[in-house]
Amino acid sequence: MKNNDYILQMKKISKEYYGNRVLKGIDLSVKAGEIHAILGENGAGKSTLMNILFGMTVIHETGGYEGEIVLDGETINIKSPVEALDFGIGMVHQEFMLIPGYSITENIKLNREITKENIVSKIFGDKLKTLNLKEMSKDARKALDTLEMDIDEWVKVAGMPIGYMQFVEIAREIDKKNIKVLVFDEPTAVLTESEADNLLKAMVKIKESGIAILFITHRLDEVMEVADNITILRDGELVATKKNNETNVMELAELMVGRKIEKVARSKEKQDTAETILSINNLKVMMPGEEVKGLSLEVKAGEIFGIGGLAGQGKIGIANGIMGLYPTSGEITIEGEKLKLNNPQDALKKNIAFVSEDRRGMGLLLDTSIEMNIVITSIQNKGTFIKKFGLFTQINNKEIKAHASNMIKELDIRCRSEKQVTRRLSGGNQQKVCIARALTLEPTILFVSEPTRGIDVGAKKLVLDTLVKLNKELGMTIIMTSSELAELRSVCDKIAIISEGKVEGILSPDASDVDFGLMMAGEYKKMHNKGDELQ
Amino acid sequence: MMERINEFYKNFGLPRLIIASFLILLCIAAAMVGLPLPALFSAVLVRFGMHGVLVLAMVPAIIAGIGLNFGLPLGILCGLLGGLISIELDLVGFNALATAILIAIPLAMLVGVAYGWLLNRVKGSEMMVATYVGFSAVSLMSIGWLLLPLYSPEIVWPIGRGIRTTIVLTGRYDKVLNNFLDFSIFGMHIPTGLLLFMLMICFLMWLFLRSSVGVAMKATGDNPRFATASGINVNKSRMIGTILSTVLGAVGIIVFSQSFGFIQLYQAPMFMGFGAVAAILIGGASVKKASITNVLIGTLLFQGMLVISLPVANKIMTLGSLAEISRIIISNGIILYALTQVSGGE
């Protein structure tokens, strides 16, 4: 039992997905009774690391991992989540894994019920034992008391406030007797501020009882408040491991973001004189998982405007709301005219085009030809590519074909012919088809969401270059939403960072990593306000 | 060469190859047991023409994203009503047929609107709802046939109230389409008018699918979220698909009846949708994709198989209902197969 200071050690963990290295030799050591925070942007490798720790099937189906996991001095190989539980590794999920129709006790004790013998079970076996509800309630009560929750243990989970559900999840984990390591996966993401405070207090309590906590989050102030040690990941690499008292929010923010790509050469002076083409006032979009909560924003004509931020903060919801694809309220003005909300036709009529982040779900007709994919929106909204015979219409095959082959050439879409269906195209080529459709609409404002998600490096560059070219040559206003900050910084004139459904701040692409990091973590305004108060 | 064969094989599909081979086998068997092939082929052509429009009715429903229209009996009931009213008006020949169709179409459109409204409210489970809508409508109209104020002695029971179960069309519009420009060749009787009429409707459908509205409908069926983002009114497209399907069902049953020579009421339309569903599926359509080619191939294969297997089976085994049993097995089997493929997706 060497190293028995550490309850959990992960040594030189690496992982490849289809030749793509997502984790590069990560080391992580956690002591019992310690809160260890893991910080990183989306895609930094946090979830992959946790999936390895939990022996998730995705890991093993894709060829396993390299490295060693040592728990309590013993090297272990976790092959399934069930084994992870047996080893004493618990997890509080981001999405609640609770059964709404069951009571708190039943949820806490699910599949670990305390039972007693009865006549039937004596004959037919253990599966038919009676539940010992009294003992179960007692245990549940104890777990709830540890968390200082004064809710009754027999209450049904359905209809409880979200904060409570989170606590039930935690109660379930700490009720497990052998629990050694408990992982909190962005537990405060869905909680209100006071609920989050309670949760942090509870975490400290759990830690005091000798359980090690892995705390995954991107909220820097929470990290500073409770974590003893902090590990920062970026692009699958371990950037740094810091002790709490040796670091500060600014440094963490900088470490988290870092700089990855040099700027694409852009010789454009700032157009401060340009007029506002799009103004958004108090926009609210009910897009599940990407809710926008009262956002205001102005975009000038001829800009490439970037929208960044972490996943789930609402950046994706903005374009979807403006296009009328999710229930929206607020006020949107395009070139001085009010946009009708929740009305895709009106958005298209006002010359807005949208390249969706959900390429296969919303961006393409997968079983339809490339050419039809390119022209269909124009057919429906502009009445182009169509021959009219009085009341009747027929599509104009010649024009469609000519236009499609033109687009295919221009955007370098690799395909057999313009008649090929889009399903079997590669991600990059599918994205180009989506862009071709948007361009066919000849928009004045082009929304592009996650344009480079899931496409290879070469195609990525081509897509970004195309956007810059469109902006330069046609003066098209481009509003690009992306999770990849580096990509935004390489092409955009301005970047708005979205946090909790609102604009945290607008930065120039040359702004410091610290500022970007603080904004992404939603700390920028808070720090700013503090500064104001001091003055 | 191999490539071409492969391409053809891919496009045509294994199930169709099997069925086509089976059909050829049946023909050989028929010749061997001494059945008159020309007569059989004539019968196949007639059945092909009379079922064609009903099968075509599946196309707009599938393309608009409603899936297989098991509620086809709704349209069929409208068509039957049109057919009865034209007799009530004491019309004969082409006039009678045209009047029947012209009365049936607006009726079917009205019913289609209501049906489409319902289907837009049960997105995701259209096919199950449609099946029961069909069953309920047929049962409801079984009462309706008793109460309708129609008085032509050809239609109503001689004694008592209500309309007969089977109405003979002889002297009205029996086979007016079949006999239009018909001729015989190699001992085969070609029902020119019937085939022309069916092909004309298929052609109109083909044109419609290439119109702006048709393209929107296709997009809706392929990917409703895409359609919404492209400024297409999804509910409207589905509504148009439903109405078209219902109207084609109405026209289809009139064509069917004039060829059959009888109008069948009460429980008869109950399972008529299933035959049409089976035919288009055999033709290579799926719950999400269908084309005019699927209609033509499917109707020919399905009806061909039924027409030829019946006498062959009777010759080989003198079991009275063997062909009927095989029809039920094949049509329900192919529907079952198609439904298992629904959520297969990608």
Side-chain angles (χ1 to χ4, degrees):
Chain A
M1 289 275 277
K2 262 189 232 165
N3 278 334
N4 59 3
D5 297 8
Y6 292 118
I7 187 127
L8 172 75
Q9 279 184 297
M10 297 177 89
K11 293 178 187 167
K12 294 260 167 289
I13 303 285
S14 294
K15 168 74 195 155
E16 239 183 49
Y17 277 122
Y18 310 108
N20 186 7
R21 253 181 200 283
V22 292
L23 283 181
K24 299 160 194 162
I26 305 288
D27 287 306
L28 186 71
S29 303
V30 191
K31 285 180 197 157
E34 166 190 345
I35 297 182
H36 194 114
I38 300 177
L39 269 178
E41 280 185 85
N42 305 110
K46 293 175 295 188
S47 1
T48 311
L49 191 64
M50 288 309 115
N51 284 345
I52 290 173
L53 183 59
F54 274 90
M56 290 301 204
T57 42
V58 274
I59 301 294
H60 297 282
E61 278 164 7
T62 52
Y65 61 92
E66 296 153 38
E68 195 187 2
I69 299 176
V70 181
L71 186 77
D72 235 355
E74 273 173 75
T75 301
I76 55 170
N77 184 11
I78 304 168
K79 284 189 256 5
S80 73
V82 179
E83 273 188 37
L85 285 179
D86 290 341
F87 282 124
I89 303 170
M91 179 150 190
V92 178
H93 297 273
Q94 204 170 352
E95 284 108 37
F96 305 125
M97 309 248 178
L98 296 173
I99 302 174
Y102 280 16
S103 72
I104 294 179
T105 305
E106 284 163 323
N107 267 295
I108 289 177
K109 283 292 187 185
L110 190 64
N111 215 17
R112 298 180 298 112
E113 290 87 353
I114 304 167
T115 52
K116 54 189 174 193
E117 292 278 340
N118 62 26
I119 302 168
V120 184
S121 74
K122 274 183 183 147
I123 303 166
F124 293 104
D126 288 350
K127 290 263 170 202
L128 293 175
K129 279 181 175 175
T130 318
L131 294 182
N132 189 343
L133 280 174
K134 233 187 196 167
E135 287 297 313
M136 282 167 65
S137 297
K138 235 192 240 167
D139 275 8
R141 188 69 258 162
K142 210 177 114 200
L144 291 172
D145 284 342
T146 314
L147 297 170
E148 289 188 343
M149 266 184 84
D150 50 2
I151 189 165
D152 287 317
E153 63 275 12
W154 43 262
V155 173
K156 282 219 169 79
V157 166
M160 274 189 353
I162 284 174
Y164 279 57
M165 292 193 198
Q166 180 93 62
F167 277 97
V168 173
E169 284 246 354
I170 299 169
R172 184 175 64 202
E173 295 307 320
I174 61 174
D175 180 57
K176 293 171 186 166
K177 292 295 170 268
N178 70 338
I179 199 92
K180 292 176 192 140
V181 180
L182 192 50
V183 179
F184 284 75
D185 185 6
E186 303 206 7
T188 54
V190 288
L191 301 185
T192 63
E193 219 154 283
S194 65
E195 285 170 338
D197 277 347
N198 284 337
L199 180 81
L200 295 180
K201 273 182 215 150
M203 282 171 67
V204 174
K205 267 211 187 90
I206 297 165
K207 151 189 141 171
E208 278 160 4
S209 70
I211 295 170
I213 291 179
L214 279 173
F215 182 26
I216 300 173
T217 186
H218 51 255
R219 294 198 181 174
L220 300 176
D221 57 343
E222 288 170 2
V223 170
M224 292 306 293
E225 199 178 323
V226 298
D228 301 306
N229 289 300
I230 301 144
T231 292
I232 299 139
L233 303 185
R234 190 205 306 150
D235 291 339
E237 283 176 75
L238 183 80
V239 180
T241 300
K242 296 268 172 190
K243 285 213 165 66
N244 188 325
N245 47 18
E246 287 169 5
T247 187
N248 57 46
V249 172
M250 307 281 256
E251 188 189 17
L252 290 179
E254 189 170 4
L255 285 170
M256 192 168 94
V257 173
R259 179 160 293 208
K260 285 163 257 173
I261 297 183
E262 295 93 68
K263 252 169 115 60
V264 167
R266 230 171 351 100
S267 59
K268 217 170 50 166
E269 59 276 22
K270 275 210 163 169
Q271 295 150 314
D272 281 338
T273 47
E275 47 193 284
T276 303
I277 193 165
L278 165 73
S279 84
I280 300 169
N281 197 4
N282 196 22
L283 179 75
K284 289 188 179 131
V285 183
M286 295 292 293
M287 178 172 177
E290 285 282 351
E291 215 173 305
V292 181
K293 302 160 181 165
L295 169 142
S296 301
L297 198 63
E298 287 206 343
V299 179
K300 297 247 158 54
E303 270 181 333
I304 300 186
F305 191 91
I307 299 178
L310 294 166
Q313 299 294 319
K315 65 174 185 304
I316 299 287
I318 300 170
N320 279 291
I322 292 172
M323 292 308 292
L325 302 176
Y326 287 92
T328 302
S329 69
E331 204 178 87
I332 301 166
T333 318
I334 311 276
E335 294 180 286
E337 271 180 80
K338 275 225 174 75
L339 179 78
K340 279 185 214 148
L341 296 177
N342 305 312
N343 185 340
Q345 280 104 326
D346 194 52
L348 289 161
K349 214 192 281 163
K350 295 221 160 55
N351 285 319
I352 308 176
F354 176 46
V355 178
S356 173
E357 71 286 347
D358 186 1
R359 207 158 45 225
R360 292 171 77 82
M362 196 186 267
L364 288 171
L365 294 171
L366 290 170
D367 293 315
T368 306
S369 64
I370 295 174
E371 54 174 18
M372 195 40 97
N373 266 288
I374 291 177
V375 297
I376 185 162
T377 312
S378 303
I379 290 180
Q380 297 304 326
N381 295 282
K382 307 262 150 160
T384 45
F385 304 106
I386 215 133
K387 287 183 270 187
K388 286 206 171 75
F389 302 98
L391 277 176
F392 302 99
T393 53
Q394 282 289 290
I395 50 175
N396 189 337
N397 272 329
K398 233 197 240 158
E399 260 182 51
I400 292 175
K401 196 177 165 182
H403 177 79
S405 14
N406 195 10
M407 277 290 176
I408 287 172
K409 220 185 307 155
E410 213 151 281
L411 295 177
D412 189 25
I413 302 171
R414 306 275 164 81
C415 57
R416 271 185 280 128
S417 84
E418 62 279 345
K419 296 265 189 288
Q420 195 185 343
V421 297
T422 55
R423 184 181 291 278
R424 302 251 174 272
L425 291 177
S426 73
N429 285 316
Q430 287 183 338
Q431 185 66 283
K432 288 179 204 164
V433 172
C434 294
I435 293 176
R437 183 181 55 251
L439 296 185
T440 306
L441 288 166
E442 296 169 356
T444 46
I445 304 178
L446 175 63
F447 280 95
V448 193
S449 287
E450 305 285 8
T452 61
R453 180 187 279 175
I455 70 182
D456 59 273
V457 181
K460 243 181 209 183
K461 182 158 171 16
L462 203 136
V463 165
L464 292 179
D465 286 349
T466 307
L467 294 178
V468 172
K469 197 175 114 192
L470 287 168
N471 173 261
K472 249 191 222 164
E473 288 175 8
L474 304 175
M476 200 180 282
T477 309
I478 295 177
I479 299 173
M480 170 164 145
T481 311
S482 174
S483 299
E484 297 200 23
L485 190 56
E487 177 184 300
L488 290 174
R489 290 172 82 172
S490 71
V491 299
C492 296
D493 298 314
K494 272 185 207 161
I495 300 161
I497 300 293
I498 310 300
S499 174
E500 297 187 359
K502 288 186 180 145
V503 177
E504 181 74 17
I506 297 178
L507 292 170
S508 109
D510 310 313
S512 68
D513 290 350
V514 178
D515 285 349
F516 274 110
L518 287 175
M519 281 192 184
M520 304 223 349
E523 303 286 336
Y524 191 81
K525 273 188 182 163
K526 274 184 225 167
M527 297 201 62
H528 231 65
N529 290 346
K530 262 182 215 161
D532 291 345
E533 277 160 30
L534 285 176
Q535 287 163 7
Chain B
M1 189 62 201
M2 268 317 281
E3 246 177 50
R4 264 207 201 155
I5 293 174
N6 256 334
E7 186 91 340
F8 172 78
Y9 170 77
K10 246 192 202 161
N11 288 338
F12 204 62
L14 184 65
R16 270 155 299 297
L17 274 182
I18 293 174
I19 292 165
S21 321
F22 181 59
L23 194 58
I24 294 168
L25 224 76
L26 273 178
C27 289
I28 296 169
M32 276 165 55
V33 296
L35 288 166
L37 279 184
L40 280 180
F41 288 154
S42 312
V44 171
L45 280 182
V46 171
R47 299 278 295 240
F48 173 65
M50 67 198 261
H51 284 91
V53 182
L54 284 173
V55 179
L56 185 69
M58 289 298 148
V59 171
I62 294 173
I63 283 180
I66 291 152
L68 301 161
N69 186 7
F70 285 102
L72 195 64
L74 280 182
I76 291 177
L77 291 169
C78 297
L80 292 174
L81 195 56
L84 290 182
I85 293 173
S86 119
I87 297 174
E88 178 78 12
L89 294 175
D90 204 15
L91 299 168
V92 290
F94 267 112
N95 280 342
L97 185 73
T99 311
I101 292 176
L102 288 179
I103 292 171
I105 287 177
L107 272 175
M109 285 169 87
L110 277 179
V111 172
V113 169
Y115 181 35
W117 179 85
L118 175 71
L119 289 184
N120 276 341
R121 262 151 198 76
V122 294
K123 282 186 193 134
S125 45
E126 291 97 341
M127 286 193 276
M128 195 174 61
V129 172
T131 308
Y132 285 93
V133 166
F135 287 168
S136 325
V138 169
S139 304
L140 196 67
M141 276 312 285
S142 294
I143 303 173
W145 301 129
L146 290 171
L147 303 176
L148 277 176
L150 295 174
Y151 304 104
S152 164
E154 285 168 62
I155 297 176
V156 295
W157 289 115
I159 312 165
R161 264 198 79 115
I163 301 169
R164 305 173 191 217
T165 43
T166 306
I167 291 136
V168 185
L169 293 179
T170 321
R172 287 294 170 187
Y173 48 90
D174 179 27
K175 297 197 175 49
V176 287
L177 278 177
N178 295 36
N179 296 340
F180 178 73
L181 291 179
D182 63 333
F183 59 93
S184 288
I185 185 166
F186 306 127
M188 275 161 55
H189 179 245
I190 311 288
T192 319
L194 180 68
L195 294 179
L196 277 181
F197 184 81
M198 176 200 158
L199 293 177
M200 183 190 76
I201 293 199
C202 284
F203 178 67
L204 288 178
M205 191 69 209
W206 184 79
L207 281 181
F208 170 76
L209 290 178
R210 296 163 55 81
S211 72
S212 150
V213 182
V215 168
M217 210 169 86
K218 265 195 223 163
T220 306
D222 198 342
N223 184 346
R225 292 179 64 209
F226 175 96
T228 312
S230 276
I232 295 167
N233 186 335
V234 169
N235 280 349
K236 196 175 123 199
S237 282
R238 287 166 53 101
M239 181 67 94
I240 293 171
T242 316
I243 293 173
L244 265 180
S245 182
T246 311
V247 167
L248 284 175
V251 175
I253 194 66
I254 295 173
V255 175
F256 178 91
S257 301
Q258 67 81 31
S259 177
F260 191 44
F262 304 95
I263 286 179
Q264 293 177 297
L265 300 177
Y266 298 94
Q267 303 294 305
M270 189 79 96
F271 295 101
M272 276 194 161
F274 286 69
V277 167
I280 196 160
L281 292 175
I282 288 179
S286 70
V287 179
K288 290 205 74 181
K289 282 203 90 171
S291 67
I292 309 287
T293 325
N294 296 147
V295 172
L296 299 179
I297 295 178
T299 315
L300 196 63
L301 288 181
F302 187 52
Q303 294 303 332
M305 199 161 50
L306 297 183
V307 170
I308 300 176
S309 68
L310 173 73
V312 172
N314 280 348
K315 274 270 176 173
I316 297 170
M317 260 183 288
T318 36
L319 262 174
S321 52
L322 196 66
E324 176 64 11
I325 292 167
S326 68
R327 183 186 70 83
I328 292 171
I329 292 174
I330 292 167
S331 63
N332 286 323
I334 197 92
I335 291 172
L336 183 63
Y337 169 76
L339 291 181
T340 58
Q341 305 296 309
V342 173
S343 51
E346 287 172 44

